[in-house]
Amino acid sequence: MGFFRFQTHEVLKKGLTTVFDMGLGSEERIEIMASTGVRVYVAPASACAIWSTDNGHSVKYNWDEARGYARLENAVQTFEKHNGTCGDRIRIALYPGQVDTCTPQFLRDVRTAADKTGMPIQI
């Protein structure tokens, strides 16, 4: 996390005022972002598959819909806990990864979660 903190402070010195952080949305990262004084959109990743490539040409997918839905629920819980904190500088968004790592139904469920909570979506 030290490198992340260093990067954040370096870009702040250059005038950055808002960060969109796509990834795990961990408590530690949120705390670090909050400590900088920057406005941040934290987007915990959720997807039904993880992709990989052995040769750089063909893509393999490891599908796990249950994991995707658990991560979506985690994003909603992160929203409920942190959205609007730190003087409204911390905002939580949905990040369902890439289209090819999500089933059509999962993307519809992400849209439903966004409609219910008001969370923006980054895909």
Side-chain angles (χ1 to χ4, degrees), residues 72 76 94 108-121:
L72 176 58
V76 171
L94 293 167
R108 285 190 287 275
D109 292 339
V110 168
R111 174 79 261 166
T112 298
D115 290 344
K116 286 181 180 176
T117 61
M119 296 169 73
I121 301 171

Side-chain angles (χ1 to χ4, degrees), residues 8 14 21 71 76 99 109 121:
T8 303
K14 293 175 177 32
D21 185 49
R71 296 296 311 259
V76 171
V99 173
D109 292 339
I121 301 171

Side-chain angles (χ1 to χ4, degrees), residues 52-108:
S52 62
T53 180
D54 293 330
N55 59 15
H57 299 286
S58 58
V59 177
K60 297 187 298 186
Y61 295 92
N62 181 12
W63 290 92
D64 185 350
E65 267 191 282
R67 181 180 180 275
Y69 278 100
R71 296 296 311 259
L72 176 58
E73 179 60 30
N74 176 67
V76 171
Q77 290 172 355
T78 301
F79 172 84
E80 291 167 351
K81 183 175 181 180
H82 292 288
N83 195 64
T85 59
C86 295
D88 204 31
R89 288 186 298 104
I90 306 296
R91 303 302 244 151
I92 310 301
L94 293 167
Y95 172 50
Q98 302 83 23
V99 173
D100 61 332
T101 62
C102 299
T103 64
Q105 184 58 52
F106 183 76
L107 291 175
R108 285 190 287 275

